[in-house]
Amino acid sequence: MELRTSSPGETEAFGRRLGEMLEPGDVVCLSGPLGAGKTCLARGILGGTGATGPVSSPTFVIIHEHPGRVPAYHIDAYRLECQDDAAALGLEEYLPGEGVSVVEWPENIPDFIPPDALWVRLERLPGDGPDRRSLAVSATGPRSERLLEELSQR
Ligand SMILES: Nc1ncnc2c1ncn2[C@@H]1O[C@H](COP(=O)(O)OP(=O)(O)OP(=O)(O)O)[C@@H](O)[C@H]1O
Ligand SMILES: [Mg+2]
């Protein structure tokens, strides 16, 4: 599934729809270059899980926990230099965890990403204006396939 958005608000709204469908144990990986809109999308997803409070880039903290309809964990692996750091932080407890986990820079921690995860690849659309983004959504297992199907029917 691929969609295009024209503003941060549209990206966030898509995230919210996805977040509303998520259940404990679901893992959503957000990939794409710096400034592509991963945190913006994460804000929407976390909002959809009922999370309250601000969603910022957890660059220095690595893991932010958000209570809500289901607990949600916002993980940013950008600063992790190696997977040993991820192990030291106990990231495996969140992947999957007792809540929803949203991961930025998942490619930095490949060994920690569960086999069944929903992936969103965000990219700028050069030439289409500064606020245009493409969001390519894919699934890697039965649960994420189901989410993807539900998402494309909405
Ligand atoms: N359609 C859009 N969707 C999402 N963000 C957009 C869009 N158009 C413009 N933006 C802007 O792009 C920026 C995206 O920043 P954001 O922090 O979400 O990116 P990121 O992928 O998380 O970056 P990083 O790799 O540094 O974590 C924001 O300033 C946002 O306002
Ligand atoms: Mg970010």
Side-chain angles (χ1 to χ4, degrees):
M1 173 191 181
E2 202 202 308
L3 67 145
R4 290 175 176 208
T5 65
S6 305
S7 67
E10 271 183 38
T11 297
E12 205 176 315
F14 170 72
R16 187 168 279 272
R17 269 197 288 142
L18 169 58
E20 284 167 359
M21 294 164 20
L22 297 176
E23 298 295 342
D26 287 335
V27 175
V28 183
C29 294
L30 309 182
S31 73
L34 280 170
K38 301 179 293 297
T39 300
C40 176
L41 181 58
R43 190 172 291 123
I45 295 171
L46 293 162
T49 66
T52 50
V55 175
S56 54
S57 219
T59 296
F60 292 100
V61 180
I62 315 266
I63 308 174
H64 270 246
E65 299 196 17
H66 297 268
R69 172 181 60 83
V70 293
Y73 310 102
H74 184 194
I75 297 166
D76 191 332
Y78 183 64
R79 299 256 156 191
L80 294 181
E81 307 242 319
C82 63
Q83 297 201 92
D84 289 349
D85 291 357
L89 283 167
L91 277 192
E92 72 275 4
E93 266 192 55
Y94 300 92
L95 295 164
E98 284 166 18
V100 165
S101 296
V102 179
V103 189
E104 294 188 47
W105 295 98
E107 39 286 289
N108 285 358
I109 49 168
D111 294 352
F112 288 81
I113 304 303
D116 192 351
L118 194 73
W119 284 73
V120 184
R121 166 102 199 153
L122 295 99
E123 297 198 60
R124 284 205 172 82
L125 289 164
D128 272 8
D131 292 347
R132 293 277 288 162
R133 299 289 188 275
S134 77
L135 281 64
V137 192
S138 56
T140 60
R143 167 61 183 161
S144 50
E145 294 278 7
R146 206 138 40 84
L147 283 170
L148 181 52
E149 206 179 297
E150 204 182 322
L151 203 52
S152 41
Q153 280 166 3
R154 283 211 179 183

